Amino acid sequence: MRRLAAGNWKMNGDGAALAEVRALVASHPDPVCEMLLCPPATLLSRAAGAAAGGALALGGQDCHPRPSGAHTGDVSAAMLREAGATYVILGHSERRADHGEDDALVAAKASAALAAGLIPIVCLGETEGQRDAGETLDVVAAQLDGSVPDGAPPDRLVIAYEPVWAIGTGRTPTLPQITQVHAHLRARLCDRFGAAGSGIRILYGGSVKPDNAAAIFALRDVDGALVGGASLRAADFGAIVAALDAA
Ligand code: PGA
């Protein structure tokens, strides 16, 4: 499997930030891992232009479950694809919290993404309260079951484990805690998809930085990272890409 370093710019970045895209592409012409940035939808086509000829893939941060229609303010999977995306992040905890997205909606969006030729990155993770209550494994298993649509092709599916309390906080789970959750997700994927479940990429996300990336990438069943804050600068994200290549 080819591991994946995915950056999520969230609601950050403007035309000037395309310089970071150019710098990343120039500094990593031939990465071993797959390198992906998910800028705001408004920047996608310009980012695609800035990345042209390089090894950087682009993705969206959300899509609507329907292909088109009267949905003011929404963006369809096909629109993202046309703008240059090959991936889309779905069910990020900020979407789940800010927009009330539940597992069924995330699954519907993932189906729409697949139908449009995008690879969905389905996000899940426990809150701090759920971890403290000892519910982490049950919570992520239920999210996995509910957010991955039936019939999803295992080779066109990425899972991102992102503990809500680790996102943007500078805090991360311990390495054994990450290993435990990834092993649990792997077992669940193999139950559902058979042997193909072992080839589904499971990313870790939540305060991944250049200085902790190597230790996280050395863990079993960590097949890459979903990176927020540290993806905004080419130097930081490039260091994370290099750590994944070296792992
Ligand atoms: P962070 O965000 O790296 O800034 O913690 C991760 C994410 O939300 O995907």
Side-chain angles (χ1 to χ4, degrees), residues 8 10 92 94 162 166-169 205-209 226-230:
N8 172 13
K10 310 190 180 187
H92 189 281
E94 288 151 15
E162 298 203 300
I167 294 174
T169 60
S207 296
V208 175
K209 308 287 177 201
L226 182 54
V227 183

Side-chain angles (χ1 to χ4, degrees), residues 53-106:
L56 179 67
L58 294 165
Q61 300 176 10
D62 176 48
C63 70
H64 194 275
R66 312 259 327 153
S68 63
H71 304 289
T72 302
D74 281 309
V75 174
S76 75
M79 291 170 181
L80 295 175
R81 183 101 174 91
E82 193 194 22
T86 50
Y87 285 84
V88 62
I89 298 168
L90 295 173
H92 189 281
S93 72
E94 288 151 15
R95 302 275 332 160
R96 291 179 186 261
D98 296 354
H99 299 272
E101 296 193 4
D102 62 11
D103 293 338
L105 179 59
V106 176

Side-chain angles (χ1 to χ4, degrees), residues 123-147:
C123 302
L124 42 87
E126 81 285 1
T127 63
E128 187 158 32
Q130 288 166 333
R131 177 161 283 278
D132 290 346
E135 297 167 359
T136 297
L137 297 183
D138 289 342
V139 165
V140 298
Q143 288 177 325
L144 185 68
D145 292 353
S147 303

Side-chain angles (χ1 to χ4, degrees), residues 157-228:
L157 174 66
V158 177
I159 305 299
Y161 167 55
E162 298 203 300
V164 177
W165 53 273
I167 294 174
T169 60
R171 299 165 57 207
T172 57
T174 64
L175 298 177
Q177 285 172 333
I178 296 173
T179 303
Q180 182 192 37
V181 174
H182 279 239
H184 192 66
L185 293 171
R186 176 71 69 210
R188 200 99 182 165
L189 288 169
C190 288
D191 280 349
R192 182 158 169 189
F193 292 98
S198 60
I200 296 174
R201 289 175 290 185
I202 307 176
L203 312 182
Y204 169 78
S207 296
V208 175
K209 308 287 177 201
D211 63 0
N212 63 14
I216 293 170
F217 294 149
L219 301 175
R220 192 179 163 82
D221 286 321
V222 174
D223 306 312
L226 182 54
V227 183

